[in-house]
Structures are given as structure tokens and as C-alpha cells.
Amino acid sequence: MVRIDLNCDLGESFGAYTIGQDEEMMKYVTSVNIACGFHAGDPLVMMRTVEKALEHDLRIGAHPGLPDLQGFGRRNIHITPQEAYALVQYQVGALQAMVIAQGGKLTHVKPHGALYNMAAKDRDLANSIAKSVFDIDKSLVLFGLSGSQLTDAGSEAGLPVAHEVFADRSYQADGTLTPRSLTGAVLHDVDKVEEQVLRMVEHQEVNTITGEVIFIQADTICLHGDNIEGVSLAKRLREKLG
């Protein structure tokens, strides 16, 4: 059995609207990335999600996104490096305060959605995010797409980094994720997801959506709680990966 971190984006409900299967997912993952109110979540949701994560003894990370509630942070919005620095620090600081208030410690930061994907390719944006995190706490682990500009920027800034791979997403030939607007971007077949994950972890490679085989470094595996098969996938992978 191979041991590896399983992470999940949680705390994405808002007001009266419930999104995801947070408490069920927490039974099987080892790290959680909690939305900070810009793309999803609100102060009460954040506080309650931190509370539940601490009850499950999970590593808690901040999941800052673009200011786009309606688009769930998945729409590209042009921001300057200075804006990126500020919005990441604002969101991480808010969640960090809630974690500290409940006796916990923030362990990592993972940008969300479009911000994450933009920073995977844009070095100036990636540098701003890395500097923002470093200036808060240089011990925070920066999660980024495996082999991306964001992980490179984090390492150069002096942060510990985790190269992230995705269990339930397909890949492009350049190592980026297939856009959600395209057919086949999200994987729902539990057997295929398990096969992809084991190949990434054991052989450091993945098949792209167009058939190529590319190298990939897997330090942490992301599962999505809003995937209809999310809990089944998490349970299956926890059994296989410890």
C-alpha cells in the first residue's frame, strides 16, 4: 500500500445553499482546502468547516479564489500581480484567524479554480501568490498543479510545495487540466479514476485525453466533493492508498 495525501476542496456552501458532501468526504481525506468567501463559502460556513475538520484531525488549508461567486471562481478574470497578492493574503488571513481561534494551525494554501489554472501558466501571477503566502507564514505548504509555474514559484520563494494531481480530471498534453467546458474533463467512472491515480502515484505518469503519456509528480491527490461520485472515489482511494 502506498501512502499519500488525499485532499478535497470543501466549505463551498453559501448561506442557505449547500454544495458538496463535506462531512462524508472528511471521513476519507487527509487534508482539506476551505473556501474563503470570494468564490464560495461565507464566514459561518468557514467557521463550521474548520470546526468539523479539527474534529476529524485533518490538515487544514486555505482555498483562496477570484472574487466571482456567481461563476464559482472558475471564470478567468484579469488581475494585476498586486491584486493577486492582496486578495490571497486577505482570504488566507481570514481563514487562518478562524483556525487559530479554534486551537488549530493552518498548514497549507491552495488557490482555487481559475486563479489556480492561471497561476499554473503565468509566472508573474504565480510569483505574487507565492510571495503573499510566504509573507504570511513561510512554513505554509503551497499546493500547485504538478510541474507548473506555481510550484516553481513557491520553491523559488522558499516555501515548501506540494505537486498536486487530480483523481477525477483528465489531462492535456502540456500537463494542464482539460477545461471543464470540454467533454471528458471530469471523470466519473470509479474504476478509471482508481487506475489513473495508481498510475500517477506508482509510475509518475498519466494518459492525456488525446492519448499521450506524460510525466507527472504526485505529492497530493485532489478529489472534488461536488463530484456526484466523490464520496465513493474517496472511500475507494483511501482503501488503496492508506
Side-chain angles (χ1 to χ4, degrees), residues 39-97:
H39 77 276
D42 61 44
L44 191 56
V45 168
M46 291 164 66
M47 186 175 70
R48 289 174 173 170
T49 307
V50 168
E51 179 182 6
K52 291 296 182 183
L54 290 172
E55 287 177 6
H56 284 84
D57 195 27
L58 301 174
R59 290 184 285 270
I60 298 174
H63 198 37
L66 293 170
D68 182 25
L69 282 174
Q70 186 172 355
F72 202 67
R74 289 176 175 162
R75 299 184 291 192
N76 286 5
I77 298 174
H78 174 72
I79 57 174
T80 66
Q82 292 77 18
E83 288 173 318
Y85 179 94
L87 71 84
V88 167
Q89 202 160 91
Y90 184 96
Q91 293 176 76
V92 173
L95 188 71
Q96 184 183 49

Side-chain angles (χ1 to χ4, degrees), residues 4 18 30 35 43 72 85 91 119 132 146 163 165 177 184 202 224 228:
I4 192 168
T18 299
T30 50
F72 202 67
Y85 179 94
Q91 293 176 76
S132 183
S146 180
H163 290 261
V165 298
L177 301 176
E202 295 175 352
H224 288 102
I228 193 170

Side-chain angles (χ1 to χ4, degrees), residues 3-8 10 26 29-34 49-50 53-54 56-62 95 99 105-108 141 143 219-220 238 242:
R3 284 192 168 274
I4 192 168
D5 182 51
L6 293 178
N7 79 77
C8 186
L10 299 179
M26 286 186 189
V29 299
T30 50
S31 297
V32 294
N33 321 305
I34 300 177
T49 307
V50 168
L54 290 172
H56 284 84
D57 195 27
L58 301 174
R59 290 184 285 270
I60 298 174
L95 188 71
V99 175
K105 177 176 173 56
L106 194 71
T107 62
H108 63 277
V141 180
F143 283 23
D219 297 327
T220 183
R238 186 62 182 267

